[in-house]
Amino acid sequence: MANRLSIFVDAGYLFKQGAGAIFGEKLSRREVHLNAGRFVSDLATWLCDMYPNEELLRAYWYDGAKNVPSTDQLNVAASLSSRCAWVASTPRASGRGLAHSWSRT
């Protein structure tokens, strides 16, 4: 039985820390453009190259949306298979983030 790999991306952390690493300063999300579909695809390719005997099961893209997803979040959802949930305003609510999943075919 082959081992399976998964990718989990925290979009907020990626945007904040990624901008700092690339541009040398923390920028707001509106100041940074990321082609999320390509990023996940490139990350999946790199992972499969690193672990050629393993199977990539899927990648998850986690991103918070309070009331309505932003245009950027909707563009990500269009480029990946999506499972959507909104950030809960109460601790009891389930679905605490906007999660996008992508499966390699």
Side-chain angles (χ1 to χ4, degrees):
M1 181 174 165
N3 290 326
R4 293 182 176 177
L5 304 169
S6 294
I7 298 170
F8 297 86
V9 178
D10 178 334
Y13 186 82
L14 175 66
F15 275 93
K16 188 172 186 177
Q17 297 303 320
I22 292 170
F23 302 111
E25 62 181 304
K26 292 191 170 112
L27 302 171
S28 74
R29 189 161 174 167
R30 291 185 182 123
E31 297 176 282
V32 179
H33 172 74
L34 173 70
N35 181 331
R38 181 168 178 196
F39 174 80
V40 171
S41 179
D42 289 349
L43 187 57
T45 298
W46 175 81
L47 187 66
C48 290
D49 288 345
M50 293 295 295
Y51 300 95
N53 297 323
E54 313 299 334
E55 176 187 358
L56 178 61
L57 179 61
R58 69 179 49 96
Y60 291 96
W61 180 273
Y62 293 95
D63 201 347
K66 292 197 176 172
N67 293 319
V68 178
S70 69
T71 303
D72 183 49
Q73 290 169 325
L74 292 173
N75 289 337
V76 170
S79 65
L80 306 171
S81 299
S82 300
R83 293 180 186 160
C84 298
W86 279 258
V87 175
S89 59
T90 61
R92 294 183 49 212
S94 62
R96 296 191 55 97
L98 183 61
H100 303 287
S101 67
W102 171 83
S103 298
R104 187 174 187 190
T105 54

